[in-house]
Amino acid sequence: MNGAARKTLAAMVLCSGAVALPGYAQVTSQPLGNGEGGAGSIVTLEADAAPVSPYWLTIDRSAEDGSIVFGGYAPNESLLEALAVDIEGADTSSVEVARGASAQYNAAVEFGRQAVSRLSEGRFSLRGNMVSIKGVAASETDAAAIEELSGLLPPGLILILNEIEIAEPSADIAETRSPVAPVVVEQAFAFTASKTDGVWRFGGDVPTAQMRSFLAVRAGDGGESDVEVREGAPEGFVADIVLALDTLDMMSGGQAEFVDGDWSISGIASSSETVSAIEASLADKGWELELSQSSPSTEPAAAPDPVSDTDDAGGAEETALEGDINSDTTAESSAEAADVTSEESAENADAEPSEQMPSTDPEYAFIAEKGEDQGVELSGMVPAEQTRAYLRVVGNTETDTLAVAEGAPEGFILAAVAGVRALNALASGTLRFEDGAWALTGRAADEAARNAALAELPEANDWTVTIELPSAAEICRDELAVFSERNAILFSSGSARIAGSEGALDELVGFLSHCPELPIYVEGHTDSDGSAATNLALSVARAEAVVAALVERGVSSARLYAVGYGESAPIASNDTAAGKQRNRRIVVELEPREP
């Protein structure tokens, strides 16, 4: 350890070179291992593994037998079961079910699944919205497929590393690789959904058993669901099914089809406004639409709502999203409605009120919240059921907590949709409509994400917008966490000699330059093979070797601490080769591990 570090620890010396630090069971300054380690290394004999945060997932393919191991977190047991079924022999025992998955989690998992399917060995890592891929492709074709796949990264995800080598596939690996769903889209993949008199019918193909169960529940006792689980679905197919069903929900009857790689929707809507709402919600999808409006009722309406016949073209986009919403009107039509009441009737307190548009409710409120690595949660009021359905698609979230209520101000829906889209671009934040004013506050992952959020907002000066960027320490912490999860620094078997990791070390130096004033703790960990004492010594020696390599690359020795944990803090089972591989690792942190 460096001289400055020795000075820091000198006041804590107890006896015989041993020192005690808060949060550590035992620390020794005695050189251990093969003699390459220096004095002053921090060594922990007993330390509970710190909880992993934020939300993360890894997919590893072993070079030894081609097995696939998942680690990290998943939002539910259904997804774990689907992964185990879709990838034969996949080990998901190291995945914990926990809340906190981001809106992009499912898309990221599918992206990682497809990428790993092209590797003979390697890792996919997801942390928050940052993803990385590193490994060896089975062939040049596989490497090209991964490169093409990286260019189609789902929206909201950031690819921070795509490091793929090419090697000739061995016969042994080819025989033992677990089958993974191919990336190629099969033309035969098809799906249909129809709604007639409120009865749902589904047919064709779906990519997962979970989606099949979802459709069976949606069909209910009176409907019919005859779908098969098959491989070959195009990217984003599950999200497209949900969008198609939400669109049919806005119609009195209709059909959605996926045939020959294209989506089409046909049917009957209750009004021209609903037709416009559907067209607006699907404008960027390129789907074929054939929509008609149901014939108006010949029965006289008991209390017809007044509608302005003089709305200008500028309100067309607003109307398109609002559907059958009478609470969102132009200022001109509201004024005309107000003129219907005479001065005499206004002065007469006992006179019946005249029929007019619902007035704006000053208590109208709407809230959208997004936590770190979590999806959007909505609450408050919306003016129509169509609005709730549309926000479900835009926010990729449940909308049962939204109440349909009159009294929304003019322009409410366009503002709500824009605000939720902006919130999706942030790492965390809150969108509020209260006391007649809109406000967006939150944190962006970087400047690009901040600009993306601002681009979604309407050009209006009555919004309060506060978007913070992460501090240098936060950026550094996230980068180091992703780097550590990749397990990029390798050693010769049984020794502390770094092997073939020059690129990873250079990359690490770049990350450390983002927080040059902060201390850095380099942790060494091992699997359980061998004695605890031997593993402890080896972990210290490897941590010190990394510290020495960083100093050689210009990192100040005064900020570096080598920490050894031996086998005491595993992140996977030591009963399998893949689990042991994950446990043999170097972790780089800004703070010492909690006891």
Side-chain angles (χ1 to χ4, degrees):
M1 181 173 290
N2 56 74
R6 290 196 187 95
K7 292 178 182 178
T8 302
L9 299 177
M12 310 177 77
V13 173
L14 301 178
C15 61
S16 302
V19 298
L21 292 179
Y24 293 93
Q26 179 178 343
V27 182
T28 177
S29 59
Q30 180 181 357
L32 298 171
N34 57 9
E36 296 175 6
S41 299
I42 304 172
V43 182
T44 304
L45 294 176
E46 298 177 1
D48 294 331
V52 179
S53 178
Y55 219 82
W56 62 274
L57 181 87
T58 57
I59 308 176
D60 289 282
R61 182 184 283 280
S62 169
E64 298 176 6
D65 57 7
S67 61
I68 290 182
V69 177
F70 287 80
Y73 294 95
N76 53 61
E77 291 286 354
S78 298
L79 179 59
L80 287 180
E81 293 173 1
L83 291 174
V85 171
D86 291 345
I87 306 178
E88 182 180 349
D91 181 359
T92 59
S93 60
S94 298
V95 181
E96 298 181 23
V97 175
R99 296 186 60 188
S102 68
Q104 296 83 20
Y105 181 87
N106 286 354
V109 173
E110 178 61 23
F111 173 83
R113 219 169 58 88
Q114 294 188 28
V116 171
S117 74
R118 296 287 187 167
L119 298 177
S120 57
E121 62 176 289
R123 163 176 284 198
F124 164 81
S125 174
L126 166 70
R127 185 182 181 88
N129 67 338
M130 295 182 290
V131 300
S132 63
I133 312 168
K134 182 176 181 180
V136 179
S139 65
E140 292 185 3
T141 301
D142 287 323
I146 294 175
E147 185 66 28
E148 181 179 358
L149 186 65
S150 301
L152 301 174
L153 193 69
L157 297 176
I158 302 172
L159 182 64
I160 63 172
L161 179 72
N162 183 16
E163 187 176 313
I164 304 298
E165 299 177 2
I166 302 174
E168 290 296 327
S170 69
D172 292 338
I173 292 179
E175 291 175 0
T176 58
R177 283 182 62 169
S178 301
V180 180
V183 179
V184 179
V185 177
E186 298 180 8
Q187 292 298 315
F189 207 89
F191 176 80
T192 62
S194 66
K195 186 179 77 169
T196 306
D197 296 329
V199 177
W200 289 92
R201 290 181 174 85
F202 306 110
D205 310 312
V206 293
T208 66
Q210 185 179 9
M211 175 53 67
R212 180 174 60 187
S213 300
F214 169 79
L215 293 176
V217 173
R218 188 67 176 267
D221 294 335
E224 178 183 348
S225 180
D226 183 17
V227 297
E228 295 183 4
V229 178
R230 291 189 53 206
E231 297 179 347
E235 182 180 353
F237 187 73
V238 169
D240 284 343
I241 290 180
V242 174
L243 178 58
L245 300 189
D246 284 336
T247 302
L248 291 179
D249 259 337
M250 301 171 67
M251 303 163 60
S252 55
Q255 178 171 294
E257 288 187 303
F258 179 78
V259 179
D260 295 333
D262 295 315
W263 278 98
S264 64
I265 293 182
S266 60
I268 301 174
S270 60
S271 66
S272 60
E273 288 82 2
T274 303
V275 172
S276 298
I278 293 173
E279 291 173 344
S281 66
L282 300 176
D284 59 348
K285 298 295 290 184
W287 294 6
E288 181 182 346
L289 301 178
E290 186 176 340
L291 308 175
S292 60
Q293 180 183 342
S294 59
S295 301
S297 172
T298 57
E299 298 180 4
D305 293 324
V307 180
S308 170
D309 293 330
T310 59
D311 288 347
D312 58 20
E317 184 178 4
E318 177 78 14
T319 303
L321 284 178
E322 294 177 0
D324 300 329
I325 305 167
N326 294 319
S327 57
D328 279 337
T329 62
T330 63
E332 180 180 356
S333 62
S334 298
E336 291 175 357
D339 289 340
V340 174
T341 305
S342 64
E343 294 181 4
E344 291 81 1
S345 61
E347 294 172 356
N348 186 353
D350 296 328
E352 291 188 8
S354 62
E355 294 291 348
Q356 55 181 311
M357 298 293 291
S359 60
T360 298
D361 182 357
E363 300 298 323
Y364 216 84
F366 175 83
I367 301 175
E369 296 180 292
K370 181 181 181 183
E372 288 284 348
D373 302 305
Q374 297 181 7
V376 175
E377 295 185 359
L378 305 177
S379 61
M381 310 173 190
V382 291
E385 186 62 43
Q386 293 97 322
T387 313
R388 186 158 64 177
Y390 189 57
L391 286 173
R392 178 185 178 187
V393 177
V394 173
N396 189 25
T397 185
E398 295 300 323
T399 55
D400 296 340
T401 51
L402 292 175
V404 176
E406 295 182 342
E410 180 184 355
F412 175 86
I413 296 177
L414 282 178
V417 170
V420 171
R421 282 176 170 161
L423 188 61
N424 272 331
L426 301 180
S428 63
T430 302
L431 170 71
R432 291 181 181 272
F433 178 78
E434 293 178 328
D435 300 326
W438 285 97
L440 176 66
T441 59
R443 295 173 60 82
D446 50 36
E447 186 68 33
R450 180 179 182 273
N451 292 338
L454 293 175
E456 295 287 357
L457 299 179
E459 296 180 3
N461 56 10
D462 55 349
W463 277 63
T464 300
V465 180
T466 305
I467 300 177
E468 299 178 351
L469 293 174
S471 65
E474 290 170 323
I475 294 174
C476 196
R477 183 178 291 107
D478 286 343
E479 290 175 335
L480 293 180
V482 173
F483 177 85
S484 297
E485 286 170 12
R486 284 168 31 214
N487 209 1
I489 300 179
L490 306 177
F491 296 87
S492 298
S493 179
S495 78
R497 186 170 61 254
I498 299 175
S501 302
E502 288 75 12
L505 289 167
D506 293 340
E507 182 185 16
L508 178 57
V509 170
F511 293 150
L512 298 183
S513 68
H514 296 160
C515 48
E517 305 301 324
L518 297 179
I520 303 298
Y521 294 83
V522 180
E523 303 176 357
H525 299 266
T526 69
D527 58 29
S528 61
D529 287 353
S531 69
T534 299
N535 288 333
L536 181 62
L538 181 60
S539 68
V540 174
R542 286 180 170 178
E544 290 178 331
V546 173
V547 167
L550 294 176
V551 171
E552 290 177 359
R553 286 165 170 78
V555 180
S556 172
S557 61
R559 57 190 296 226
L560 296 173
Y561 295 84
V563 188
Y565 289 93
E567 62 188 61
S568 66
I571 58 174
S573 171
N574 277 307
D575 295 333
T576 66
K580 291 178 181 179
Q581 183 181 11
R582 293 189 62 211
N583 289 331
R584 298 190 297 267
R585 67 198 190 278
I586 290 291
V587 178
V588 186
E589 298 275 9
L590 296 184
E591 299 92 9
R593 183 178 291 263
E594 293 291 335

